[in-house]
Amino acid sequence: MNSINCEDLQFDDMPSAEKFIMENEIKIFSDEGDLILCYMNSPEDIKINWNDITTRTALDFQSNLIDQVISRNLLLVFCSTEEIDVDTKKEIQSDTYCCRKIARSKVEDLERSIKDLIFYGTEKKEDVKNSSLKKIIEKEHNDVFQLMAI
């Protein structure tokens, strides 16, 4: 995952894309053909502005990208150092316009938070070469292990 800026992408209207990114202080990350746009602000500001940010993302950024594959692989992440209320998170994350959206609370390190989001569930718990499947199941899913006839 890399932090990038508008100059690393191709747009039909570069000034429009740059203006949107700068006005909203959006950080852009790229990961294997996916683009992650991060809008960081207070929970109150996110609650009030997430819909406008989404619309502007669609109009000034997404539809303006020359690479149509990248424009379809867009993730918009709303982050706050404080707690975003559950109803706002649900509203943001269930909205299907433009792209997938995620709301994250208590974000102190934006880049670390995005890496955690991208690599969620992929951390290696132990070296599988040195463990038997039986031992892994016994350790991680003991209830299942108890049902096995071994």
Side-chain angles (χ1 to χ4, degrees), residues 75-79 89 92-93 100-104 117:
L75 176 64
L76 182 55
V77 183
F78 295 89
C79 299
K89 281 185 176 183
I92 290 170
Q93 294 176 174
R100 182 167 179 235
K101 292 171 272 313
I102 295 176
R104 295 188 61 109
L117 179 66

Side-chain angles (χ1 to χ4, degrees), residues 12 15-16 20 22-23 45 47 70-71 97 110 122 124 135-136:
D12 288 324
S16 177
F20 164 68
M22 287 189 309
E23 282 179 353
D45 181 80
K47 184 175 186 168
I70 290 176
S71 74
Y97 178 66
L110 181 61
T122 62
K124 211 174 176 183
K135 288 181 181 179
I136 293 172

Side-chain angles (χ1 to χ4, degrees), residues 38-52:
C38 300
Y39 175 78
M40 189 149 184
N41 218 314
S42 70
E44 297 78 23
D45 181 80
I46 290 171
K47 184 175 186 168
I48 294 167
N49 293 316
W50 77 267
N51 200 22
D52 182 53

Side-chain angles (χ1 to χ4, degrees), residues 50-68:
W50 77 267
N51 200 22
D52 182 53
I53 296 294
T54 299
T55 302
R56 297 265 329 271
T57 297
L59 297 175
D60 297 329
F61 192 89
Q62 185 182 36
S63 65
N64 197 3
L65 276 164
I66 291 174
D67 188 328
Q68 294 301 305

